[in-house]
Amino acid sequence: MFDKILVANRGEIAIRIIRACREMGIPSVAVFSEADRDALFTRYANHSCPIGPAAAIRSYLNIPLIIEKAKESGSDAVHPGYGFLAENPEFASACESAGIKFIGPSSRVLELLGDKVAARREMQKNGIPVVPGTDACVEGYEHARSVAKRIGYPIILKPAGGGGGIGMTIVDDEKRLHGALESAYKIAGTTFGIPDVYIEKYLPNPRHIEFQILVDSRGNAIHLGERECSIQRRHQKLIEESPSTAVSGEMRASMGRLAAEAAGSVGYEGAGTVEFLFSKGEFYFLEVNARVQVEHPVTEMVTGIDIVKEQIRIASGLPTSVRQENVRIRGHAIECRINAEDPLKDFVPTPGKIHSHHPPGGPGIRIDSGVCGAAAIPPFYDPIVSKLIVWGGDRKEAIHRMRRALYEYIIDGVDTNILFHRAVMENERFVEGDLGTHFIDTETTLIEDMERIARREKTLREKLPAQSLEKKKIAAIAAAAYRGKPA
Ligand code: ADP
């Protein structure tokens, strides 16, 4: 096992990794930018060291500096979390050359899967159905035109090296193809450094369903069931759950096995996610995410398997701690991403200072948060405050529990999207499990629902005694108790 692990990330995921290290008895090292000097994760690690300015490009993305800190601190492994350097083959390769274990797949596999067109080809070879589209990158307008004609409009143009939903363009008809292609090339080049674009058929309102896989160095490739991540805004996930209401036990077993084996066949090692779109009863491969994902806790809640510990075990050469036949899906879990953003103002980010953070508790609740009592949500990074995850014996109980937890959640100081989550948890279609990636666009009453919940809450609060009265009452009780008299 490793002597020490450097955590090359920040916020809630850094804390998640540090927690796994502590439970495994492995000392951890946090690295932090100037913006994160007082952040909770720097206090939870055994050691922490500054890595420069707030701008990620000079701190969390600074490969030579992170390698240097790993060496200096005597770390023999690096956990990259998600985002930042997590799927960067150059970083994995720098770790490999420095003799530090990168907790994730090899740089070669990261390179292969980072090219989404190559990944599509590999998966197809292994019998995995892909969304109809190009087998290679688009070679100009005429090529794009003939592909579009073959598969039919609407189509979606995607950057081959892309991620985070950035730069994807939907094209409804041929008239728009030329302009869309030009701008897609531009975005692909400027944002991802690879000016390559590919085409997929644009599926109408599919579900997003993904399989969690674990592959160890001894050839065990297993899956931990699926997550449904159809509640998205601008292709970014907001609510995830496991299991999916659309997946039968049989489908889970066959698709899960296929996904795990396909990853194993390209030499994948570690935890990963094979993402699919699901439409009219069919799965279509999207991409492999070669890292731990934001939404991994829902899988942990229903399987009882600690995915981060599995990553660390696998990286150190140990086998997965479970075999496929022992993986059981029990109950239902839902995750709401609590972001500092205003859902009533088109989800504009609202970074700032949190005055108080009082997360919900009680049965079946898990909070993965990067903040404590009073903390800052810096404007430089993702505006995530925490992930609220609930477990219930079934989906209905999980929804009721999530409603209760969202009601209890107090965050003062910054606006958050809690109101949005509350509206979704009360939404009829959501409750029925009738989901699709266009859910937010098509459920036009969500804004009204949020306003209604906000009004209801305000009326409730107004009925409560004023805070100053409360304070006076508490002072009177304390004074009476001190004098030994009943208040
Ligand atoms: P990224 O890696 O940038 O996140 P993905 O390929 O994983 O991009 O797609 C993200 C989301 O975009 C999907 O969950 C889905 O909502 C939408 N999407 C992607 N491809 C298609 C498609 N071919 N048809 C319909 N929606 C799509």
Side-chain angles (χ1 to χ4, degrees), residues 396-407:
K396 194 169 162 213
E397 187 183 39
I399 291 175
H400 282 272
R401 188 161 276 164
M402 184 59 94
R403 287 182 190 163
R404 188 268 288 173
L406 290 164
Y407 175 79

Side-chain angles (χ1 to χ4, degrees), residues 10 33 35-36 54-56 340 349-353 376-384 414:
R10 63 179 298 281
S33 77
D36 285 329
T350 52
K353 207 146 182 75
I377 303 295
F380 313 102
Y381 317 112
D382 261 8
I384 189 161
V414 298

Side-chain angles (χ1 to χ4, degrees), residues 442-485:
T442 48
E443 283 308 286
T444 47
T445 62
L446 280 174
I447 298 226
E448 273 165 49
D449 296 340
M450 285 192 261
E451 284 166 347
R452 183 174 44 76
I453 296 168
R455 271 199 306 277
R456 192 171 73 200
E457 219 71 345
K458 195 160 165 270
T459 335
L460 266 179
R461 291 235 166 91
E462 277 163 3
K463 279 190 194 150
L464 293 172
Q467 215 190 5
S468 55
L469 271 180
E470 256 324 71
K471 271 191 196 152
K472 274 187 199 155
K473 199 168 148 202
I474 292 168
I477 294 172
Y482 180 72
R483 290 193 301 269
K485 290 185 206 156

Side-chain angles (χ1 to χ4, degrees), residues 272-412:
T273 301
V274 186
E275 293 193 328
F276 295 92
L277 292 179
F278 182 78
S279 178
K280 299 192 179 119
E282 302 286 336
F283 283 97
Y284 300 94
F285 170 80
L286 262 189
E287 62 169 337
V288 178
N289 284 324
R291 55 173 154 87
V292 65
Q293 280 193 283
V294 176
E295 60 271 25
H296 76 278
V298 289
T299 301
E300 295 187 324
M301 297 289 266
V302 293
T303 60
I305 295 165
D306 185 316
I307 293 169
V308 178
K309 282 188 193 163
E310 292 299 324
Q311 288 188 293
I312 297 172
R313 280 178 61 92
I314 294 171
S316 76
L318 290 170
T320 54
S321 69
V322 276
R323 302 191 69 82
Q324 189 69 63
E325 58 270 27
N326 299 325
V327 176
R328 295 267 176 284
I329 310 290
R330 203 181 134 255
H332 200 96
I334 305 177
E335 171 179 281
C336 288
R337 298 190 189 191
I338 311 295
N339 296 331
E341 59 190 17
D342 188 347
L344 290 171
K345 291 195 188 123
D346 200 26
F347 292 85
V348 58
T350 52
K353 207 146 182 75
I354 292 180
H355 303 313
S356 70
H357 178 243
H358 185 76
I365 307 283
R366 166 173 168 180
I367 294 276
D368 278 23
S369 150
V371 302
C372 52
I377 303 295
F380 313 102
Y381 317 112
D382 261 8
I384 189 161
V385 178
S386 69
K387 302 183 311 200
L388 167 59
I389 307 111
V390 302
W391 180 89
D394 56 22
R395 189 168 186 269
K396 194 169 162 213
E397 187 183 39
I399 291 175
H400 282 272
R401 188 161 276 164
M402 184 59 94
R403 287 182 190 163
R404 188 268 288 173
L406 290 164
Y407 175 79
E408 288 179 5
Y409 208 153
I410 299 170
I411 301 173
D412 286 330

